[in-house]
Amino acid sequence: MERAWYQIALDVLKANGVSLIPYVPDNVLKPLIAAIHADPYFHAFTVAREEEAVGIVAGAWMAGTKGMVLMQTSGFATLANVLASLPCAFQIPVLLMVSERGTLGEFNQGQAAVWRTMRPTLEALAMEHHVISRLDECEFIMDRTIRQAHLTQLPAALILSPLLTGGKAVTRQVTA
Amino acid sequence: MTAAHNAKRMYRFDLMQRLVARLEHEEAVIGGIGNTNFDLWSAGHRPQNFYMLGSMGLAVPIALGVALAQPKRKVFAVEGDGSLLMQLGCLATVATLAPKNLAILVLDNGMYQITGGQETPALRADFAAIARGCGLVGAAWAADEADFERQVGQCLASDGPHFIAVKLDDQPPVTQTERDPPQIRDRFMRGMGAKRSKLPG
Ligand SMILES: Cc1ncc(C[n+]2csc(CCOP(=O)(O)OP(=O)(O)O)c2C)c(N)n1
């Protein structure tokens, strides 16, 4: 049977020695978070803000432990300042995995508005980022992006498209 | 204005010198943005010092990351009051994870000194009480220099996480840190034993 996206992600993280996973949860990330917590290889825990997780992963990498931050699109939108002034300025390979909300069937206008800020922010930061939309490309994109980040000592973001994860969608307008 | 404590107002540079003098086992020190890391730098550069040049509020999270990566090394986060206010949630995270090797030192001058000395919105707040409320049960104010030395000694000799808050006077920093982020990072990684290079640091 084909591996699900989150199983691929788990395997790629392990293969690249990425073990420290601070996160602010997201519904779409649930199976990945559960799988990571179930595997003693990883040290996964929640934090109060995504900024905090960026600091933790930056500090851990400078002391020899590799990590990745999990978040949703709205979490990424809180990060421009710390990404610019910590991993970008100091050349630290902080890895971000962002579950993409706000597009392809979004029901919350706030999420859709936040979504529009993500790519311009990544472009402005000149941060390597890739959208994963197909299962057959998932392993290659994740593995190569993580490897490049570590080899070049630069941060990178992996964006999980609803095309890959199914996203979080409702099919009809909910009337209050 | 009633203070929640009666700690003596001390001189940041003096406290940084006292802290650095006690570090004999390559302990890591993460200095928060601005005057905090300037006086850490002025107290004498060590390869185990990391100086933030932005990312206001992240001294504690960065120190937490170092502490988790190297559980045998003691790690100090030195953070300004204005900076900590921006990221209070990290105290709850530290208390929850409870890294034994982490100590947090908050330098409270009641203001944003580096941007012109404006008052912070925490004039009635008690940082040690906030830390205790987050679950850092031993958090305390240092009453004076001798008490500061005693508490630093405790951080070095016993399991944490520890939290010390100090009240500062309004003296400016002595000098400024050399601002070269990749070089600061490179030196710190060598200081942590996380990077080896044939090139001189
Ligand atoms: C997110 C963010 N907001 C504002 C600033 C501007 N700024 C830089 S340092 C600083 C004050 C820091 O205050 P504190 O940590 O108490 O240290 P002090 O200057 O009093 O030594 C401010 C407001 C910034 N760098 N980042």
Side-chain angles (χ1 to χ4, degrees):
Chain A
M1 214 189 90
E2 232 175 6
R3 286 178 301 165
W5 69 267
Y6 53 87
Q7 286 161 336
I8 295 172
L10 186 112
D11 292 344
V12 169
L13 289 174
K14 269 187 167 175
N16 284 281
V18 178
S19 61
L20 188 71
I21 316 286
Y23 65 93
V24 178
D26 168 73
N27 212 35
V28 168
L29 291 168
K30 240 167 76 179
L32 177 60
I33 290 168
I36 284 174
H37 274 290
D39 188 329
Y41 177 80
F42 296 101
H43 185 189
F45 52 89
T46 52
V47 291
R49 283 181 70 77
E50 291 81 0
E51 288 183 318
E52 213 188 313
V54 168
I56 291 168
V57 168
W61 187 75
M62 290 191 288
T65 292
K66 297 187 179 90
M68 175 181 259
V69 187
L70 309 182
M71 70 193 79
Q72 73 166 217
T73 308
S74 54
F76 177 82
T78 68
L79 291 180
N81 174 56
V82 299
L83 289 174
S85 59
L86 187 61
C88 292
F90 285 83
Q91 298 176 10
I92 299 172
V94 170
L95 299 167
L96 313 177
M97 187 172 276
V98 187
S99 148
E100 192 172 30
R101 278 288 306 267
T103 189
L104 296 172
E106 181 57 60
F107 53 88
N108 179 342
Q109 205 174 114
Q111 289 277 3
V114 169
W115 175 82
R116 286 190 285 274
T117 69
M118 181 160 65
R119 280 172 186 68
T121 304
L122 283 162
E123 298 286 350
L125 289 166
M127 248 180 83
E128 183 84 9
H129 59 282
H130 293 283
V131 182
I132 309 175
S133 52
R134 294 167 53 114
L135 197 60
D136 62 344
E137 294 177 353
C138 188
E139 179 160 17
F140 190 93
I141 296 177
M142 285 184 179
D143 181 59
R144 293 296 177 94
T145 304
I146 292 172
R147 268 204 257 175
Q148 179 171 333
H150 289 149
L151 290 169
T152 59
Q153 301 184 105
L154 290 171
L158 288 163
I159 301 165
L160 306 175
S161 165
L163 285 163
L164 179 77
T165 62
K168 188 183 181 195
V170 288
T171 49
R172 60 194 167 79
Q173 180 73 30
V174 181
T175 44
Chain B
M1 183 58 238
T2 48
H5 50 81
N6 56 1
K8 179 184 169 192
R9 291 190 175 273
M10 296 178 270
Y11 178 32
R12 180 177 44 227
F13 178 54
D14 176 59
L15 295 180
M16 288 298 101
Q17 287 179 300
R18 287 172 190 270
L19 172 67
V20 168
R22 299 294 295 271
L23 305 180
E24 292 172 353
H25 300 286
E26 303 194 349
E27 295 85 352
V29 185
I30 312 300
I33 187 172
N35 295 344
T36 305
N37 81 62
F38 291 173
D39 275 347
L40 175 65
W41 164 271
S42 306
H45 173 69
R46 309 158 60 246
Q48 296 81 23
N49 287 359
F50 182 79
Y51 312 96
M52 278 168 44
L53 298 175
S55 62
M56 185 171 167
L58 291 195
V60 173
I62 293 170
L64 174 58
V66 174
L68 293 173
Q70 298 198 4
K72 293 205 172 85
R73 188 191 300 273
K74 290 273 184 190
V75 183
F76 284 81
V78 186
E79 186 66 299
D81 55 334
S83 296
L84 183 63
L85 267 183
M86 232 177 229
Q87 205 68 241
L88 283 176
C90 74
L91 298 179
T93 308
V94 167
T96 299
L97 295 176
K100 292 183 173 141
N101 55 332
L102 180 63
I104 299 168
L105 175 54
V106 176
L107 308 182
D108 179 8
N109 54 12
M111 60 179 153
Y112 301 106
Q113 190 183 44
I114 199 170
T115 51
Q118 303 86 352
E119 280 181 355
T120 73
L123 295 185
R124 290 170 190 275
D126 178 328
F127 285 98
I130 290 170
R132 286 194 298 274
C134 287
L136 296 169
V137 289
W141 288 94
D144 54 21
E145 287 82 357
D147 191 38
F148 174 74
E149 295 256 3
R150 184 187 62 79
Q151 292 200 36
V152 168
Q154 255 178 4
C155 293
L156 292 168
S158 65
D159 284 348
H162 297 281
F163 183 101
I164 311 172
V166 298
K167 281 283 172 190
L168 294 185
D169 61 27
D170 59 3
Q171 295 187 70
V174 176
T175 53
Q176 294 195 5
T177 308
E178 279 179 25
R179 292 185 180 83
D180 187 338
Q183 189 183 50
I184 291 171
R185 190 257 303 143
D186 181 80
R187 285 175 171 160
F188 182 69
M189 289 184 72
R190 294 178 196 221
M192 292 298 99
K195 178 178 177 179
R196 289 181 217 302
S197 169
K198 292 193 174 116
L199 298 172

